[in-house]
Amino acid sequence: MEGSLIQGIANGVPTPVAMMLGGARINFSSPQEVIDSGFGTDWASKVRTVPTRAFNMIRADVPDDGTLVQGTGGNSPVAAIIGGARVNFSSPQEVIDSGFGTDWGSKVRALPARAFSLIPDRIGDGTRVKKAGAASQAGIVGGAKVPFASMDELIACGFGDKRMWTVPDRVWEALTTKIEDGTRLKKAGWSSEAAVVGGARVDFHTEAERNDAGYGGVMLQYIPARVWDAMTTRIADGTRIAKSGWSSEAAVVGGARVDFHTEAERNDAGYGAKPRQVVPVRVWDALPRQIADGTRVKKASATSQAGIIGGAKVPFASMEELIASGFGDKPMWTVPDRVWDALPTRFADGTLLKARDSSTVWRMLDGKKAGITGPAGTVWVVPQRILDAIPQG
């Protein structure tokens, strides 16, 4: 049936006309698309009818891996289907270097530009890829390129019996190395499993933890022990998390868990539309509650902003103060009013402070400041008015 035109019929009601390309059904949206795809003005005489049930059972939209395609109209590049995705080529040499031969032009199949653009460009998980200009190989895991340092790593991760697809150097370099949230991972050679949450590896200590967090039915993907060990375990700021088995939700802000007491708090802080990621109770309970120094926060119901310095909230009276204190290029994280109001305003003992236009460094102790020389450690810049309001001890 490859290259044929088909149409489903059920109770006298037709489906769109489609062509078979690389084992897939590519639907046409108009007679002109059929003509532009090379079937001629007499295309209607070439259409074979099949039951709609059978028509719908044929995989749609994405041809088999290894198929070369190009959208009609002259504006689409030649592309290969690799890992269920469209990998565009930028030159004839890239097509050749990717293993399609010098006669690649005879292998290209035309399809409507509309259908071409509908083919995803994210290479599917479990795909084994190779860099055209080198021996480098990788597996696609959670949408990311996970390079293998050896054939032993490749085999241990289950890619030894998978077909290897060569991609242009340009494409290889552009592949992300950040494994996407929601991916279930296993450390090759070990029983350890984890989920990726907020860009971090969140380990499961038991099957119950894994299943209660909703990952029991998620595809398990292996990564080299080396890659596993190198992954951060710090959940990224701005991640919305939920406590497994509970209704409790929170955001990670400055490395800390900032709980939401109501849906309104969550939504007002800008987390209502973010994906809800479940973590084990043990992980939830272990998250710090103190927002890290250097974090820029905003009060949900107001324009008020502050920096966290020495564990304390330092409100800025203007954007000039904020920028002068070094927070201008930091991401701003919104917290509920309740959390903002409860943030401490007393600097932790040992915090080092200075004003922007002064060389004097002050060390905090028991809520008082004392001038020092030869400070060791981070010196935080705060507005002069903040320093002026601290008693000298």
Side-chain angles (χ1 to χ4, degrees), residues 311-329:
K313 174 182 68 181
V314 177
F316 300 119
S318 65
M319 283 302 295
E320 288 76 12
E321 280 193 351
L322 183 150
I323 293 168
S325 298
F327 286 83
D329 58 354

Side-chain angles (χ1 to χ4, degrees), residues 112-159:
R114 173 192 53 80
F116 180 91
S117 65
L118 288 175
I119 300 173
D121 57 8
R122 177 194 180 277
I123 299 177
D125 290 351
T127 305
R128 176 181 172 185
V129 293
K130 178 186 177 295
K131 184 178 182 180
S136 307
Q137 293 191 50
I140 303 299
V141 176
K145 174 184 68 182
V146 176
F148 300 119
S150 66
M151 284 301 295
D152 288 341
E153 279 194 351
L154 184 150
I155 293 167
C157 290
F159 286 84

Side-chain angles (χ1 to χ4, degrees), residues 224-250:
R226 167 187 56 81
V227 175
W228 173 284
D229 292 341
M231 290 184 72
T232 183
T233 55
R234 184 186 187 279
I235 299 174
D237 289 351
T239 304
R240 174 185 171 190
I241 56 174
K243 184 178 183 178
S244 178
W246 296 67
S247 60
S248 308
E249 291 193 21

Side-chain angles (χ1 to χ4, degrees), residues 35 112 135 142 164 167 175 198 225 257 297 366 373 376 387-388:
I35 296 169
M164 182 181 72
V167 297
L175 288 170
R257 192 188 86 215
V297 294
D366 293 332
T373 58
L387 277 175
D388 293 343

Side-chain angles (χ1 to χ4, degrees), residues 23 77 81 174 184-185 207 227 265 305 349 356 360 369 381 393:
I81 305 301
R184 176 184 168 194
L185 300 176
E207 287 188 9
V227 175
E265 277 195 350
Q305 293 191 49
D349 288 352
R356 182 183 65 172
T360 302
K369 66 186 179 187
V381 176

Side-chain angles (χ1 to χ4, degrees), residues 10-36:
N11 298 319
V13 179
T15 68
V17 173
M19 69 171 168
M20 293 300 301
L21 195 164
R25 164 173 55 83
I26 308 297
N27 292 355
F28 294 112
S29 65
S30 69
Q32 191 60 51
E33 282 194 346
V34 189
I35 296 169
D36 292 344

